[in-house]
Short mmCIF file of all heavy atoms in Angstrom, two decimals:
data_model
loop_
_atom_site.label_atom_id
_atom_site.label_comp_id
_atom_site.label_asym_id
_atom_site.label_seq_id
_atom_site.Cartn_x
_atom_site.Cartn_y
_atom_site.Cartn_z
N MET P 20 89.30 145.94 -50.09
CA MET P 20 90.48 146.67 -49.49
C MET P 20 91.37 145.53 -48.89
O MET P 20 90.91 144.47 -48.38
CB MET P 20 90.13 147.62 -48.41
CG MET P 20 91.21 148.43 -47.94
SD MET P 20 90.79 149.47 -46.52
CE MET P 20 89.98 150.86 -47.35
N THR P 21 92.66 145.72 -48.98
CA THR P 21 93.57 144.71 -48.46
C THR P 21 93.56 144.80 -46.94
O THR P 21 93.15 145.82 -46.39
CB THR P 21 95.04 145.03 -48.87
OG1 THR P 21 95.44 146.30 -48.41
CG2 THR P 21 95.14 144.93 -50.37
N ILE P 22 94.10 143.71 -46.32
CA ILE P 22 94.20 143.75 -44.93
C ILE P 22 95.08 144.87 -44.36
O ILE P 22 94.77 145.56 -43.40
CB ILE P 22 94.74 142.39 -44.38
CG1 ILE P 22 93.61 141.30 -44.58
CG2 ILE P 22 95.23 142.40 -42.91
CD1 ILE P 22 94.05 139.87 -44.29
N ALA P 23 96.24 145.04 -45.11
CA ALA P 23 97.13 146.14 -44.74
C ALA P 23 96.32 147.48 -44.78
O ALA P 23 96.50 148.31 -43.81
CB ALA P 23 98.30 146.29 -45.61
N GLY P 24 95.55 147.65 -45.77
CA GLY P 24 94.74 148.89 -45.93
C GLY P 24 93.70 149.13 -44.81
O GLY P 24 93.59 150.19 -44.26
N GLN P 25 93.13 148.03 -44.42
CA GLN P 25 92.20 148.04 -43.31
C GLN P 25 92.77 148.40 -42.00
O GLN P 25 92.33 149.07 -41.19
CB GLN P 25 91.41 146.65 -43.14
CG GLN P 25 90.51 146.34 -44.35
CD GLN P 25 89.89 145.00 -44.08
OE1 GLN P 25 89.35 144.75 -43.02
NE2 GLN P 25 89.87 144.17 -45.07
N ILE P 26 93.99 147.74 -41.79
CA ILE P 26 94.68 148.04 -40.58
C ILE P 26 95.21 149.51 -40.43
O ILE P 26 95.01 150.12 -39.45
CB ILE P 26 95.85 147.08 -40.39
CG1 ILE P 26 95.35 145.61 -40.16
CG2 ILE P 26 96.83 147.49 -39.32
CD1 ILE P 26 96.45 144.55 -40.14
N GLU P 27 95.70 149.89 -41.57
CA GLU P 27 96.06 151.39 -41.53
C GLU P 27 94.93 152.33 -41.23
O GLU P 27 95.10 153.26 -40.42
CB GLU P 27 96.65 151.74 -42.95
CG GLU P 27 98.11 151.40 -43.19
CD GLU P 27 98.68 152.00 -44.43
OE1 GLU P 27 98.78 153.25 -44.53
OE2 GLU P 27 98.95 151.16 -45.38
N ARG P 28 93.86 152.00 -41.86
CA ARG P 28 92.65 152.87 -41.66
C ARG P 28 92.17 152.76 -40.15
O ARG P 28 91.77 153.78 -39.58
CB ARG P 28 91.58 152.36 -42.54
CG ARG P 28 90.29 153.31 -42.63
CD ARG P 28 89.19 152.69 -43.33
NE ARG P 28 89.03 153.08 -44.66
CZ ARG P 28 88.07 152.75 -45.46
NH1 ARG P 28 87.08 152.01 -45.05
NH2 ARG P 28 88.06 153.20 -46.69
N LEU P 29 92.23 151.54 -39.65
CA LEU P 29 91.88 151.43 -38.16
C LEU P 29 92.75 152.22 -37.27
O LEU P 29 92.16 152.93 -36.36
CB LEU P 29 91.85 149.88 -37.82
CG LEU P 29 91.68 149.59 -36.36
CD1 LEU P 29 90.28 149.93 -35.84
CD2 LEU P 29 91.79 148.08 -36.16
N ILE P 30 94.06 152.13 -37.44
CA ILE P 30 94.94 152.80 -36.66
C ILE P 30 94.74 154.32 -36.77
O ILE P 30 94.74 155.05 -35.69
CB ILE P 30 96.42 152.47 -36.96
CG1 ILE P 30 96.69 151.00 -36.74
CG2 ILE P 30 97.42 153.29 -36.21
CD1 ILE P 30 98.01 150.46 -37.28
N GLU P 31 94.62 154.85 -37.91
CA GLU P 31 94.27 156.23 -38.25
C GLU P 31 92.98 156.68 -37.48
O GLU P 31 92.89 157.79 -36.95
CB GLU P 31 94.07 156.46 -39.68
CG GLU P 31 95.27 157.08 -40.40
CD GLU P 31 94.98 157.25 -41.85
OE1 GLU P 31 94.01 157.89 -42.15
OE2 GLU P 31 95.78 156.68 -42.61
N SER P 32 91.97 155.83 -37.55
CA SER P 32 90.64 156.23 -36.96
C SER P 32 90.75 156.38 -35.36
O SER P 32 89.88 157.03 -34.83
CB SER P 32 89.63 155.10 -37.30
OG SER P 32 89.81 153.95 -36.48
N LEU P 33 91.75 155.76 -34.77
CA LEU P 33 91.89 155.90 -33.39
C LEU P 33 92.54 157.23 -33.05
O LEU P 33 92.63 157.57 -31.79
CB LEU P 33 92.80 154.73 -32.85
CG LEU P 33 92.17 153.37 -33.10
CD1 LEU P 33 93.08 152.30 -32.61
CD2 LEU P 33 90.79 153.21 -32.29
N GLY P 34 93.03 157.95 -33.98
CA GLY P 34 93.56 159.31 -33.73
C GLY P 34 94.70 159.42 -32.63
O GLY P 34 94.68 160.31 -31.84
N GLY P 35 95.63 158.45 -32.64
CA GLY P 35 96.75 158.58 -31.76
C GLY P 35 96.60 157.63 -30.55
O GLY P 35 97.59 157.56 -29.73
N ALA P 36 95.50 156.93 -30.43
CA ALA P 36 95.41 155.98 -29.43
C ALA P 36 96.16 154.67 -29.80
O ALA P 36 96.11 154.37 -31.03
CB ALA P 36 93.99 155.65 -29.04
N SER P 37 96.82 153.91 -28.90
CA SER P 37 97.53 152.76 -29.32
C SER P 37 96.59 151.60 -29.33
O SER P 37 95.45 151.48 -28.79
CB SER P 37 98.55 152.53 -28.26
OG SER P 37 98.04 152.38 -26.97
N ILE P 38 97.04 150.62 -30.16
CA ILE P 38 96.25 149.31 -30.35
C ILE P 38 97.24 148.24 -30.53
O ILE P 38 98.13 148.42 -31.39
CB ILE P 38 95.21 149.56 -31.52
CG1 ILE P 38 94.30 148.23 -31.58
CG2 ILE P 38 95.88 149.76 -32.86
CD1 ILE P 38 93.08 148.44 -32.44
N CYS P 39 97.01 147.17 -29.85
CA CYS P 39 97.87 145.96 -30.03
C CYS P 39 97.38 145.05 -31.17
O CYS P 39 96.29 145.13 -31.66
CB CYS P 39 97.97 145.21 -28.71
SG CYS P 39 96.43 144.36 -28.24
N ASP P 40 98.25 144.04 -31.54
CA ASP P 40 97.91 143.21 -32.59
C ASP P 40 96.65 142.37 -32.30
O ASP P 40 95.87 142.08 -33.12
CB ASP P 40 99.13 142.21 -32.82
CG ASP P 40 100.25 142.96 -33.49
OD1 ASP P 40 100.20 144.08 -33.86
OD2 ASP P 40 101.32 142.31 -33.42
N ASP P 41 96.49 142.04 -31.00
CA ASP P 41 95.25 141.22 -30.64
C ASP P 41 93.96 142.03 -30.84
O ASP P 41 93.01 141.44 -31.36
CB ASP P 41 95.35 140.68 -29.17
CG ASP P 41 96.41 139.67 -29.10
OD1 ASP P 41 96.42 138.75 -29.87
OD2 ASP P 41 97.14 139.74 -28.02
N CYS P 42 94.05 143.28 -30.42
CA CYS P 42 92.85 144.12 -30.61
C CYS P 42 92.52 144.35 -32.13
O CYS P 42 91.41 144.36 -32.53
CB CYS P 42 92.94 145.46 -29.93
SG CYS P 42 92.91 145.20 -28.18
N ILE P 43 93.62 144.56 -32.92
CA ILE P 43 93.42 144.63 -34.36
C ILE P 43 92.79 143.45 -34.99
O ILE P 43 91.83 143.49 -35.68
CB ILE P 43 94.81 145.05 -35.01
CG1 ILE P 43 95.32 146.36 -34.63
CG2 ILE P 43 94.65 144.87 -36.61
CD1 ILE P 43 96.75 146.62 -35.18
N THR P 44 93.35 142.30 -34.42
CA THR P 44 92.75 141.02 -34.95
C THR P 44 91.28 140.86 -34.67
O THR P 44 90.42 140.51 -35.55
CB THR P 44 93.50 139.86 -34.26
OG1 THR P 44 94.87 139.97 -34.60
CG2 THR P 44 93.07 138.46 -34.81
N ASP P 45 90.83 141.32 -33.41
CA ASP P 45 89.46 141.29 -32.98
C ASP P 45 88.66 142.19 -33.78
O ASP P 45 87.60 141.90 -34.30
CB ASP P 45 89.32 141.73 -31.50
CG ASP P 45 89.70 140.53 -30.54
OD1 ASP P 45 89.84 139.38 -31.04
OD2 ASP P 45 89.65 140.87 -29.40
N ARG P 46 89.14 143.43 -33.89
CA ARG P 46 88.33 144.55 -34.57
C ARG P 46 88.05 144.21 -36.06
O ARG P 46 87.00 144.49 -36.56
CB ARG P 46 89.05 145.82 -34.51
CG ARG P 46 89.18 146.43 -33.17
CD ARG P 46 87.85 147.16 -32.82
NE ARG P 46 88.14 148.05 -31.60
CZ ARG P 46 88.34 149.32 -31.69
NH1 ARG P 46 88.29 149.97 -32.81
NH2 ARG P 46 88.58 149.95 -30.54
N LEU P 47 89.04 143.61 -36.63
CA LEU P 47 88.87 143.33 -38.12
C LEU P 47 88.49 142.00 -38.35
O LEU P 47 88.43 141.53 -39.54
CB LEU P 47 90.25 143.74 -38.83
CG LEU P 47 90.67 145.21 -38.77
CD1 LEU P 47 91.99 145.44 -39.49
CD2 LEU P 47 89.59 146.15 -39.33
N ASN P 48 88.27 141.17 -37.33
CA ASN P 48 87.87 139.75 -37.62
C ASN P 48 88.88 139.02 -38.36
O ASN P 48 88.49 138.37 -39.28
CB ASN P 48 86.49 139.63 -38.20
CG ASN P 48 85.40 139.86 -37.15
OD1 ASN P 48 85.51 139.40 -36.08
ND2 ASN P 48 84.48 140.88 -37.48
N LEU P 49 90.13 139.17 -38.16
CA LEU P 49 91.17 138.48 -38.89
C LEU P 49 91.23 137.00 -38.42
O LEU P 49 90.83 136.88 -37.17
CB LEU P 49 92.55 139.12 -38.74
CG LEU P 49 92.61 140.66 -39.09
CD1 LEU P 49 94.04 141.16 -38.82
CD2 LEU P 49 92.29 140.82 -40.54
N SER P 50 91.65 136.08 -39.22
CA SER P 50 91.56 134.72 -38.79
C SER P 50 92.75 134.40 -37.92
O SER P 50 92.59 133.60 -36.84
CB SER P 50 91.56 133.72 -40.01
OG SER P 50 92.56 134.22 -40.90
N VAL P 51 93.84 134.98 -38.04
CA VAL P 51 95.03 134.74 -37.21
C VAL P 51 95.77 136.13 -36.94
O VAL P 51 95.84 136.97 -37.72
CB VAL P 51 96.05 133.76 -37.82
CG1 VAL P 51 95.51 132.39 -37.77
CG2 VAL P 51 96.49 134.06 -39.18
N ARG P 52 96.22 136.09 -35.67
CA ARG P 52 97.03 137.37 -35.20
C ARG P 52 98.21 137.68 -36.10
O ARG P 52 98.63 138.80 -36.21
CB ARG P 52 97.41 137.12 -33.76
CG ARG P 52 97.65 138.39 -33.01
CD ARG P 52 98.14 138.04 -31.60
NE ARG P 52 99.43 137.46 -31.58
CZ ARG P 52 100.52 138.18 -31.40
NH1 ARG P 52 100.44 139.49 -30.97
NH2 ARG P 52 101.70 137.70 -31.45
N SER P 53 98.78 136.70 -36.64
CA SER P 53 100.09 136.95 -37.45
C SER P 53 99.69 137.80 -38.62
O SER P 53 100.70 138.51 -39.13
CB SER P 53 100.73 135.64 -37.90
OG SER P 53 99.79 134.84 -38.58
N GLN P 54 98.51 137.89 -39.11
CA GLN P 54 98.20 138.76 -40.16
C GLN P 54 98.29 140.15 -39.77
O GLN P 54 98.82 140.99 -40.54
CB GLN P 54 96.65 138.49 -40.62
CG GLN P 54 96.46 137.28 -41.36
CD GLN P 54 95.00 137.12 -41.77
OE1 GLN P 54 94.13 137.11 -40.94
NE2 GLN P 54 94.68 137.05 -43.11
N ALA P 55 97.89 140.49 -38.54
CA ALA P 55 98.04 141.82 -37.97
C ALA P 55 99.53 142.14 -37.81
O ALA P 55 100.03 143.21 -38.10
CB ALA P 55 97.18 142.09 -36.70
N ASN P 56 100.21 141.12 -37.22
CA ASN P 56 101.58 141.35 -36.85
C ASN P 56 102.51 141.71 -38.05
O ASN P 56 103.39 142.59 -37.90
CB ASN P 56 102.10 140.00 -36.10
CG ASN P 56 103.54 140.25 -35.61
OD1 ASN P 56 104.50 139.82 -36.13
ND2 ASN P 56 103.68 140.99 -34.48
N VAL P 57 102.25 141.00 -39.14
CA VAL P 57 103.10 141.32 -40.27
C VAL P 57 102.94 142.76 -40.69
O VAL P 57 103.93 143.46 -41.06
CB VAL P 57 102.73 140.37 -41.47
CG1 VAL P 57 103.25 140.86 -42.85
CG2 VAL P 57 103.13 138.92 -41.16
N VAL P 58 101.75 143.21 -40.62
CA VAL P 58 101.46 144.64 -41.13
C VAL P 58 101.91 145.64 -40.05
O VAL P 58 102.59 146.62 -40.51
CB VAL P 58 99.92 144.79 -41.40
CG1 VAL P 58 99.60 146.27 -41.67
CG2 VAL P 58 99.49 143.91 -42.41
N THR P 59 101.73 145.33 -38.82
CA THR P 59 102.12 146.39 -37.86
C THR P 59 103.66 146.51 -37.74
O THR P 59 104.19 147.54 -37.45
CB THR P 59 101.59 146.17 -36.39
OG1 THR P 59 101.87 144.87 -35.97
CG2 THR P 59 99.96 146.34 -36.49
N ARG P 60 104.36 145.38 -37.92
CA ARG P 60 105.82 145.40 -37.93
C ARG P 60 106.24 146.30 -39.03
O ARG P 60 107.26 147.02 -38.85
CB ARG P 60 106.38 143.97 -38.07
CG ARG P 60 106.74 143.31 -36.72
CD ARG P 60 107.71 142.28 -36.89
NE ARG P 60 107.64 141.57 -38.17
CZ ARG P 60 107.46 140.30 -38.34
NH1 ARG P 60 107.34 139.51 -37.36
NH2 ARG P 60 107.47 139.72 -39.53
N GLU P 61 105.68 146.17 -40.20
CA GLU P 61 106.02 146.92 -41.35
C GLU P 61 105.69 148.40 -41.11
O GLU P 61 106.61 149.33 -41.35
CB GLU P 61 105.31 146.39 -42.50
CG GLU P 61 105.25 147.24 -43.80
CD GLU P 61 106.61 147.37 -44.41
OE1 GLU P 61 107.37 146.38 -44.42
OE2 GLU P 61 106.84 148.46 -44.95
N LEU P 62 104.55 148.72 -40.63
CA LEU P 62 104.14 150.13 -40.41
C LEU P 62 104.99 150.77 -39.29
O LEU P 62 105.24 151.95 -39.30
CB LEU P 62 102.62 150.17 -39.88
CG LEU P 62 101.67 149.77 -40.91
CD1 LEU P 62 100.24 149.86 -40.32
CD2 LEU P 62 101.68 150.73 -42.15
N GLY P 63 105.49 149.94 -38.38
CA GLY P 63 106.26 150.43 -37.22
C GLY P 63 107.60 151.10 -37.68
O GLY P 63 108.20 151.91 -37.02
N HIS P 64 108.08 150.77 -38.87
CA HIS P 64 109.20 151.33 -39.51
C HIS P 64 108.97 152.70 -40.18
O HIS P 64 109.92 153.39 -40.55
CB HIS P 64 109.81 150.42 -40.61
CG HIS P 64 110.32 149.08 -40.00
ND1 HIS P 64 111.27 149.06 -38.99
CD2 HIS P 64 110.04 147.83 -40.40
CE1 HIS P 64 111.53 147.75 -38.70
NE2 HIS P 64 110.72 147.04 -39.51
N ARG P 65 107.70 153.06 -40.36
CA ARG P 65 107.41 154.32 -40.96
C ARG P 65 107.35 155.46 -40.05
O ARG P 65 107.10 155.26 -38.86
CB ARG P 65 105.93 154.22 -41.61
CG ARG P 65 105.87 153.22 -42.78
CD ARG P 65 104.70 153.65 -43.65
NE ARG P 65 104.22 152.51 -44.40
CZ ARG P 65 103.03 152.52 -44.88
NH1 ARG P 65 102.16 153.53 -44.78
NH2 ARG P 65 102.55 151.45 -45.59
N GLU P 66 107.74 156.62 -40.58
CA GLU P 66 107.85 157.71 -39.72
C GLU P 66 106.60 158.15 -39.01
O GLU P 66 106.59 158.70 -37.81
CB GLU P 66 108.31 158.91 -40.52
CG GLU P 66 109.46 159.74 -39.83
CD GLU P 66 109.98 160.74 -40.80
OE1 GLU P 66 109.38 161.73 -41.13
OE2 GLU P 66 111.15 160.38 -41.39
N GLU P 67 105.45 157.97 -39.62
CA GLU P 67 104.14 158.48 -39.06
C GLU P 67 103.60 157.57 -38.01
O GLU P 67 102.58 157.91 -37.37
CB GLU P 67 103.24 158.70 -40.16
CG GLU P 67 102.74 157.52 -40.98
CD GLU P 67 103.66 157.44 -42.32
OE1 GLU P 67 104.86 157.55 -42.25
OE2 GLU P 67 103.05 157.12 -43.33
N TYR P 68 104.26 156.40 -37.76
CA TYR P 68 103.79 155.52 -36.65
C TYR P 68 104.79 155.34 -35.55
O TYR P 68 105.94 155.34 -35.86
CB TYR P 68 103.46 154.11 -37.30
CG TYR P 68 102.31 154.14 -38.25
CD1 TYR P 68 102.59 154.31 -39.65
CD2 TYR P 68 100.98 154.03 -37.83
CE1 TYR P 68 101.55 154.32 -40.56
CE2 TYR P 68 99.91 154.02 -38.79
CZ TYR P 68 100.26 154.23 -40.09
OH TYR P 68 99.14 154.20 -41.07
N ASP P 69 104.25 155.01 -34.32
CA ASP P 69 105.05 154.67 -33.26
C ASP P 69 104.70 153.26 -32.88
O ASP P 69 103.47 152.97 -32.69
CB ASP P 69 104.81 155.54 -32.05
CG ASP P 69 105.78 156.79 -31.95
OD1 ASP P 69 106.90 156.56 -32.41
OD2 ASP P 69 105.37 157.78 -31.46
N ARG P 70 105.62 152.33 -32.72
CA ARG P 70 105.27 151.00 -32.25
C ARG P 70 106.15 150.64 -31.05
O ARG P 70 107.38 150.76 -31.24
CB ARG P 70 105.47 149.97 -33.45
CG ARG P 70 105.08 148.56 -33.14
CD ARG P 70 105.00 147.71 -34.38
NE ARG P 70 104.48 146.50 -34.12
CZ ARG P 70 105.19 145.31 -33.87
NH1 ARG P 70 106.44 145.42 -33.80
NH2 ARG P 70 104.53 144.16 -33.68
N ALA P 71 105.64 150.47 -29.92
CA ALA P 71 106.44 150.22 -28.70
C ALA P 71 105.67 149.47 -27.70
O ALA P 71 104.33 149.20 -27.93
CB ALA P 71 106.84 151.55 -28.19
N LYS P 72 106.25 148.99 -26.69
CA LYS P 72 105.61 148.20 -25.65
C LYS P 72 105.01 149.23 -24.67
O LYS P 72 105.72 149.99 -23.97
CB LYS P 72 106.60 147.40 -24.89
CG LYS P 72 105.92 146.39 -23.95
CD LYS P 72 106.85 145.09 -23.75
CE LYS P 72 106.00 144.07 -23.01
NZ LYS P 72 106.81 142.90 -22.71
N VAL P 73 103.69 149.34 -24.74
CA VAL P 73 102.91 150.32 -23.94
C VAL P 73 101.61 149.65 -23.55
O VAL P 73 101.35 148.57 -23.90
CB VAL P 73 102.56 151.64 -24.86
CG1 VAL P 73 103.85 152.35 -25.13
CG2 VAL P 73 101.85 151.28 -26.03
N SER P 74 100.84 150.41 -22.70
CA SER P 74 99.45 149.85 -22.37
C SER P 74 98.68 150.12 -23.65
O SER P 74 98.52 151.24 -24.13
CB SER P 74 98.88 150.63 -21.29
OG SER P 74 99.63 150.43 -20.10
N CYS P 75 98.01 149.03 -24.12
CA CYS P 75 97.18 149.13 -25.29
C CYS P 75 96.03 150.04 -24.99
O CYS P 75 95.35 149.80 -23.87
CB CYS P 75 96.73 147.80 -25.73
SG CYS P 75 95.45 147.77 -26.98
N GLY P 76 95.69 151.00 -25.81
CA GLY P 76 94.68 151.87 -25.57
C GLY P 76 93.36 151.31 -25.55
O GLY P 76 92.26 151.85 -25.24
N GLN P 77 93.20 150.10 -26.08
CA GLN P 77 91.87 149.38 -26.34
C GLN P 77 91.68 148.37 -25.14
O GLN P 77 90.63 148.38 -24.44
CB GLN P 77 91.82 148.73 -27.66
CG GLN P 77 92.36 149.45 -28.77
CD GLN P 77 91.71 150.82 -28.84
OE1 GLN P 77 90.47 150.92 -28.94
NE2 GLN P 77 92.50 151.91 -29.00
N CYS P 78 92.71 147.49 -24.87
CA CYS P 78 92.43 146.38 -23.97
C CYS P 78 93.19 146.68 -22.61
O CYS P 78 92.94 145.97 -21.61
CB CYS P 78 92.87 145.04 -24.41
SG CYS P 78 94.57 144.80 -24.84
N GLY P 79 94.09 147.59 -22.64
CA GLY P 79 94.76 148.11 -21.38
C GLY P 79 95.99 147.15 -21.09
O GLY P 79 96.70 147.40 -20.17
N ALA P 80 96.23 146.05 -21.86
CA ALA P 80 97.33 145.16 -21.53
C ALA P 80 98.55 145.78 -22.00
O ALA P 80 98.69 146.53 -22.86
CB ALA P 80 97.12 143.87 -22.29
N LEU P 81 99.67 145.53 -21.20
CA LEU P 81 101.06 146.02 -21.55
C LEU P 81 101.59 145.12 -22.58
O LEU P 81 102.03 143.96 -22.30
CB LEU P 81 101.95 146.08 -20.33
CG LEU P 81 103.35 146.61 -20.61
CD1 LEU P 81 103.25 147.99 -20.90
CD2 LEU P 81 104.22 146.34 -19.39
N LYS P 82 101.61 145.61 -23.83
CA LYS P 82 102.18 144.78 -24.92
C LYS P 82 102.58 145.71 -26.06
O LYS P 82 102.28 146.97 -25.99
CB LYS P 82 101.32 143.61 -25.39
CG LYS P 82 99.81 143.95 -25.57
CD LYS P 82 99.10 142.83 -26.06
CE LYS P 82 98.04 142.31 -25.22
NZ LYS P 82 97.29 141.24 -25.78
N THR P 83 103.16 145.18 -27.07
CA THR P 83 103.62 145.94 -28.21
C THR P 83 102.35 146.36 -28.91
O THR P 83 101.57 145.67 -29.39
CB THR P 83 104.47 145.12 -29.17
OG1 THR P 83 105.61 144.63 -28.34
CG2 THR P 83 104.94 145.87 -30.35
N ALA P 84 102.23 147.77 -29.04
CA ALA P 84 101.06 148.30 -29.66
C ALA P 84 101.56 149.45 -30.62
O ALA P 84 102.70 150.01 -30.52
CB ALA P 84 100.15 148.89 -28.62
N ILE P 85 100.67 149.77 -31.50
CA ILE P 85 101.06 150.75 -32.54
C ILE P 85 100.13 151.89 -32.47
O ILE P 85 98.88 151.72 -32.19
CB ILE P 85 101.10 150.14 -33.98
CG1 ILE P 85 101.76 151.08 -34.96
CG2 ILE P 85 99.70 149.61 -34.41
CD1 ILE P 85 102.27 150.45 -36.18
N GLN P 86 100.59 153.06 -32.73
CA GLN P 86 99.71 154.31 -32.80
C GLN P 86 100.20 155.18 -33.85
O GLN P 86 101.42 155.17 -34.27
CB GLN P 86 99.70 155.01 -31.44
CG GLN P 86 101.06 155.56 -31.12
CD GLN P 86 101.03 155.88 -29.60
OE1 GLN P 86 101.31 155.04 -28.72
NE2 GLN P 86 100.79 157.13 -29.28
N ILE P 87 99.38 155.98 -34.36
CA ILE P 87 99.79 157.06 -35.36
C ILE P 87 100.25 158.31 -34.58
O ILE P 87 99.69 158.70 -33.49
CB ILE P 87 98.60 157.37 -36.36
CG1 ILE P 87 99.13 158.08 -37.54
CG2 ILE P 87 97.51 158.14 -35.71
CD1 ILE P 87 98.34 157.87 -38.77
N LYS P 88 101.27 158.95 -34.98
CA LYS P 88 101.73 160.11 -34.30
C LYS P 88 100.87 161.28 -34.47
O LYS P 88 100.36 161.40 -35.59
CB LYS P 88 103.21 160.50 -34.74
CG LYS P 88 104.30 159.50 -34.36
CD LYS P 88 105.68 159.85 -34.82
CE LYS P 88 106.72 158.85 -34.58
NZ LYS P 88 107.97 159.08 -35.18
N ALA P 89 100.66 161.95 -33.42
CA ALA P 89 99.70 163.07 -33.54
C ALA P 89 100.27 164.21 -34.41
O ALA P 89 101.46 164.33 -34.47
CB ALA P 89 99.37 163.60 -32.10
ZN1 ZN N 17 94.89 145.50 -27.05
#
């Protein structure tokens, strides 16, 4: 599966909880954070996702995180 596919699946599996690029990088063992960033920026333009500066549902830090709309 592509990295983009893995990221989509991870976000979906959280069922509406937000996740930041750093947590995505950790969870999927990506080598660099920019791999996650490229994908989440793209997904953020889609109707089914929300991407905004919020408390990350995983690490609790206030940063740009993405979530699937309920
Ligand atoms: Zn996080």
Side-chain angles (χ1 to χ4, degrees):
M20 192 187 281
T21 61
I22 288 173
Q25 290 180 50
I26 291 175
E27 279 189 65
R28 190 191 262 186
L29 173 61
I30 296 167
E31 259 180 57
S32 76
L33 297 173
S37 56
I38 186 166
C39 69
D40 292 347
D41 288 316
C42 290
I43 291 173
T44 304
D45 278 355
R46 292 277 194 102
L47 298 179
N48 283 315
L49 304 178
S50 47
V51 289
R52 201 181 71 98
S53 58
Q54 287 182 300
N56 186 258
V57 166
V58 177
T59 57
R60 263 202 334 238
E61 165 70 33
L62 293 177
H64 295 303
R65 293 206 207 158
E66 221 168 81
E67 60 266 45
Y68 294 93
D69 267 330
R70 187 168 186 266
K72 195 158 188 180
V73 294
S74 296
C75 170
Q77 317 305 307
C78 66
L81 182 66
K82 45 178 120 173
T83 303
I85 192 161
Q86 66 194 82
I87 197 154
K88 290 182 186 170

